Amino acid sequence: MAQAKAVDAPSSPVADKGGANPWLVLLAVSLGVIMVMLDGTVVGIANPVIQADLKASLSDLQWVTSGYLLALAVFLITAGKLGDLFGHKRVFLIGVAGFAVSSVGIGLSAELADVIPGLSPIGALIGLRVLQGLFGALLQPAALALLRSAFPGEKLNQAMGAWGAIIGLSSAAGPIVGGLLVENISWESVFFINAPVGVIALAMGLWLIKDSRAKTLARIDWLGVVLLSGAMFSLVWTIIKAPEWGWGDSTTLSFIGAFAVLILAFVLWQSKAKQPLVPLSLFRNASISIGTVLMMMVAFAMFGAMFFLGFFFQGVHGLSPLEAGLRMLPMSAGMIVASPLAGMAIGRFGPKFTMAGGLLITALSMFLMSQLSIDASFIATGVPFVLLAFGLSPVFVGATEIIVGNAPVDLSGVAGGLQQSAMQVGGALGTAILGAVMASEISDTLPGHLGPAAQAIPADQMAGLAKAAAFGTAPPGLPQPIIDAVHNSFMDGMHVAFLVSTSIAVLTAALTFFVKVGRKAEGVQVHMG
């Protein structure tokens, strides 16, 4: 095995050596990121109510999710660089404050639409979700960099395991918290809850966190920011809009061409820039490159397939928001247990076999969900949810440790942004592509489920039924056979989405066998096979 030249050794971060206990720092930064994770899962439970209240289309609801992911994906690496240059504590606290304020604005979106001419409530909600994503981009890589600075290398696996447990708990608790709030108060309250969490996170952050930044401050590579942001926007926008435009449409091809030109220009500029936004030397480490792909692919499978579960539970299965949240309780318990175990397993056995096993468990979970029936019991949904928790935890913990743990400390913010950006791009890809696959399957199978009655339904009404079926609901007042047909076509589409995710998880498992982690105190050792 040849050993390539190591990435330049990092300087030590500037930090107060008399700082707080690193486990208290972990708690402080986790509180900030909890807001982001809560919103990621709470929205899934709130979506059916938002759709009914604001008369939103499927495209609107995809934008509620994808607009947020787009903002994260475009700004994450830049946000990581800002933390490296100006202090991760400062950037983290700005992100927490902005995320909390924009969350309150989302809860007031109807009131904002009343006072701003031409603005609809759903338009205000989507716009504020984009703003929320920008602030979320500020705090996430900064949080990971603060952990990297607080914990020595030999303790980083344990910290990542604990981090995963805390984040997993907040993410998995989101459906239950969201169900309680939506059912007993309103969908707006799921965003208002970020305000008190943000205040606590700010107070603890100011008290406990000591700042960390690169020893030698560099200028921001603004041309790199523009080129990367433009490329990421073109890619994600294409993914979201191509199902509507058509993949062969000239507009779609134009945006794909723009992405190709911009990403090529970005790579060329990064190879020449004196202070590049993303030092290409990071990717000489095969493990960092593979970890980025792993994070993207597992997020594709998870976010894309999970987007429609809220509609399944509430629309097809007929559960209340709280009951739908409780159905996800097995995943909550699984995440709490699985994340720290994943950190310990990776520390003992290494990421290769641990992550491969996790991906195969994830594939099994997705396959079981592709076999769910309309009247699936708590056990039928609970078993794959537990498996999913134990499957995803090793991948998220392992990929994060590979990317952030192998980057030089001075570039930990950039690495954190890279890790999170890969996750958001993968999620946006999954939501858009699997959403298109599901919608296509619904349109194809709905006439068959309707039987001879399909011949008497006008084309525009059939299209309306297909759109309603994407939410797992049927317009009120229809005969039961038509309602059954709508529900059955939704199930067909959801099954196909989970089968695609199953295949992605199996194929991604093979990538883990190319991971070769080389860690040392002074820099990142790069092992090339």
Side-chain angles (χ1 to χ4, degrees), residues 307-334:
F307 178 77
F308 295 97
L309 279 177
F311 299 116
F312 165 65
F313 284 130
Q314 296 180 56
V316 177
H317 211 39
L319 301 179
S320 69
L322 176 57
E323 290 170 334
L326 290 172
R327 277 297 184 100
M328 298 185 182
L329 187 59
M331 187 165 61
S332 308

Side-chain angles (χ1 to χ4, degrees), residues 15-372:
D16 188 336
K17 300 300 183 184
N21 183 294
W23 294 102
L24 292 178
V25 174
L26 171 65
L27 177 60
V29 299
S30 296
L31 279 174
V33 180
I34 277 172
M35 295 190 300
V36 180
M37 302 311 296
L38 277 174
D39 263 25
T41 50
V42 162
V43 170
I45 292 296
N47 267 338
V49 182
I50 293 174
Q51 187 272 324
D53 188 30
L54 301 184
K55 305 298 186 290
S57 66
L58 178 62
S59 176
D60 290 334
L61 290 183
Q62 285 182 303
W63 269 110
V64 171
T65 297
S66 296
Y68 174 76
L69 295 177
L70 174 62
L72 280 170
V74 165
F75 199 55
L76 271 167
I77 295 178
T78 303
K81 187 68 171 179
L82 290 172
D84 284 336
L85 297 181
F86 301 118
H88 298 297
K89 175 179 179 178
R90 180 183 303 172
V91 170
F92 174 78
L93 294 178
I94 291 172
V96 169
F99 196 92
V101 171
S102 57
S103 297
V104 173
I106 291 172
L108 298 173
S109 55
E111 287 76 9
L112 291 174
D114 288 338
V115 299
I116 300 177
L119 182 64
S120 66
I122 190 65
L125 192 156
I126 292 170
L128 285 163
R129 281 283 283 172
V130 171
L131 184 62
Q132 192 184 45
L134 292 175
F135 284 113
L138 285 177
L139 68 89
Q140 291 194 69
L144 286 170
L146 288 168
L147 289 184
R148 175 72 193 272
S149 177
F151 285 89
E154 66 273 11
K155 295 288 186 181
L156 190 59
N157 276 334
Q158 295 179 33
M160 287 299 178
W163 164 269
I166 294 170
I167 300 308
L169 173 61
S170 61
S171 178
I176 298 174
V177 173
L180 283 168
L181 293 173
V182 170
E183 191 168 327
N184 295 293
I185 304 177
S186 66
W187 66 262
E188 292 92 343
S189 63
V190 304
F191 296 101
F192 289 143
I193 196 173
N194 286 330
V197 176
V199 169
I200 296 171
L202 280 173
M204 293 191 69
L206 288 168
W207 174 41
L208 292 171
I209 297 174
K210 299 301 178 182
D211 210 353
S212 169
R213 71 178 77 186
K215 179 178 282 187
T216 303
L217 294 182
R219 292 179 301 173
I220 296 178
D221 175 17
W222 287 113
L223 179 57
V225 170
V226 171
L227 290 173
L228 180 61
S229 298
M232 295 293 288
F233 176 84
S234 298
L235 174 63
V236 180
W237 180 269
T238 301
I239 293 166
I240 293 171
K241 298 295 289 184
E244 176 185 332
W245 294 335
W247 287 99
D249 185 82
S250 59
T251 305
T252 302
L253 297 176
S254 296
F255 273 96
I256 292 174
F259 165 72
V261 170
L262 288 169
I263 200 66
L264 177 60
F266 174 75
V267 171
L268 292 174
W269 171 247
Q270 294 304 283
S271 67
K272 297 178 179 180
K274 292 182 179 180
Q275 298 171 351
L277 177 66
V278 181
L280 299 182
S281 56
L282 276 176
F283 296 101
R284 293 175 189 161
N285 186 318
S287 292
I288 290 179
S289 300
I290 294 171
T292 303
V293 174
L294 285 172
M295 185 65 74
M296 184 181 299
M297 297 305 287
V298 77
F300 179 105
M302 183 187 73
F303 282 99
M306 301 290 283
F307 178 77
F308 295 97
L309 279 177
F311 299 116
F312 165 65
F313 284 130
Q314 296 180 56
V316 177
H317 211 39
L319 301 179
S320 69
L322 176 57
E323 290 170 334
L326 290 172
R327 277 297 184 100
M328 298 185 182
L329 187 59
M331 187 165 61
S332 308
M335 282 288 196
I336 298 169
V337 176
S339 292
L341 289 179
M344 290 187 287
I346 289 171
R348 181 167 183 178
F349 304 111
K352 185 182 298 185
F353 295 105
T354 309
M355 293 171 66
L359 283 162
L360 292 177
I361 293 172
T362 298
L364 175 60
S365 169
M366 294 291 184
F367 177 76
L368 291 176
M369 284 193 269
S370 76
Q371 306 301 305
L372 291 175

